[in-house]
Amino acid sequence: ILYGAEAKLQLLPCKGFSGFASYSYIVGNAWFPVTGGLFLGDDAINPTTGHFPDSQDQRNTVRARVRYQVAPRLWIAVGADYNTGLPFQPDLTPQQYATEYGQVLVNHLNFNRDRISPYFTENASVGADLYQHEKRSLRFQADAQNLSNELEVIDFGGLFSGNALGPSRQYTFRLVTTF
């Protein structure tokens, strides 16, 4: 069962500025008894009552981006993302996880709440329309993501998804043409 809310504010172009801010809140629960699956071993237990957070239980997500049109063919933008972290079900001690995955990753897990620690990333972009005539155009865009180079632990120990880490600081350059 999933429930939550989403909201988005959008700033229409005004004096060269545009942008948006969005917020989402989602709670997800899986209820026992679990049906289907494969329960192996003598210690396999399938409770008949209760619930646990499912893999989509991302409580708070905030995203924002502001763009400024510097000149008719040149723009810059900055943005940020904040995520409160998904749940995980530890079956090892923090020390055992550190041995297997490294202390750096384990530092991003909150074993008191059984959730991945929140993370915040910043992004920046610049774009230029190099050529524009009738239906033909040439546009260049450069993006920098995760400027602070923060480790993003997106998912940890998911039954079907395993571990998912966001990319470290990365730069992307695009040259797009239409004709």
Side-chain angles (χ1 to χ4, degrees), residues 142-174:
D143 301 302
Q145 297 177 336
N146 193 2
L147 290 172
S148 60
N149 206 24
E150 183 70 27
L151 176 65
E152 297 176 49
V153 179
I154 298 169
D155 197 6
F156 184 78
L159 180 60
F160 298 108
S161 58
N163 299 338
L165 302 177
S168 58
R169 184 183 304 126
Q170 67 180 19
Y171 304 97
T172 307
F173 302 97
R174 286 185 268 184

Side-chain angles (χ1 to χ4, degrees), residues 121-149:
T121 57
E122 311 87 12
N123 310 305
S125 300
V126 62
D129 292 327
L130 303 176
Y131 176 78
Q132 194 166 6
H133 181 70
E134 295 179 357
K135 293 183 180 182
R136 294 183 297 262
S137 68
L138 182 63
R139 173 177 287 163
F140 174 76
Q141 182 172 332
D143 301 302
Q145 297 177 336
N146 193 2
L147 290 172
S148 60
N149 206 24

Side-chain angles (χ1 to χ4, degrees), residues 1-5 23-31 51-61 82-89 113-119 153-156 158 161:
I1 296 174
L2 296 172
Y3 68 89
Y23 170 78
S24 67
Y25 172 80
I26 188 167
V27 175
N29 285 305
W31 294 85
H51 63 87
F52 61 94
D54 78 355
S55 63
Q56 301 302 309
D57 189 44
Q58 176 82 359
R59 297 295 168 100
N60 299 290
T61 301
Y82 174 78
N83 297 282
T84 55
L86 294 171
F88 71 97
Q89 295 178 333
R113 296 180 58 227
D114 293 342
R115 293 184 90 72
I116 297 168
S117 297
Y119 59 90
V153 179
I154 298 169
D155 197 6
F156 184 78
S161 58

Side-chain angles (χ1 to χ4, degrees), residues 63-74:
R63 300 196 192 306
R65 183 173 169 96
V66 176
R67 177 180 156 150
Y68 179 65
Q69 193 76 36
V70 177
R73 292 187 178 199
L74 177 67

